[in-house]
Amino acid sequence: MENNQKGKKLKMKLSNIPIDSSLGLLAVGDVAFTEWRKVKTANNAIIDAKSKEDK
């Protein structure tokens, strides 16, 4: 499989970052991993708020 896009930057939307997995983001780089942490933290805050409402 050839990479015809050598030298081009990878662009990805933050909404496309999967919450369950971070290993692939390590291959992309530290910026993607940092953004994943932000998304994960925000998701955990939402889950915690919902669980407090249910109690």
Side-chain angles (χ1 to χ4, degrees):
M1 182 177 204
E2 286 185 37
N3 185 0
N4 294 329
Q5 299 180 354
K6 291 183 181 178
K8 291 189 177 181
K9 291 184 179 182
L10 175 67
K11 294 182 182 179
M12 66 187 313
K13 294 180 181 180
L14 296 181
S15 60
N16 292 338
I17 294 176
I19 295 172
D20 296 336
S21 178
S22 62
L23 186 58
L25 294 173
L26 286 173
V28 175
D30 63 333
V31 173
F33 189 73
T34 302
E35 291 303 317
W36 170 81
R37 282 186 175 162
K38 290 178 186 176
V39 170
K40 178 85 170 161
T41 302
N43 185 56
N44 287 345
I46 292 169
I47 291 172
D48 289 343
K50 286 182 181 180
S51 66
K52 287 180 182 178
E53 288 176 1
D54 292 342
K55 289 183 180 181

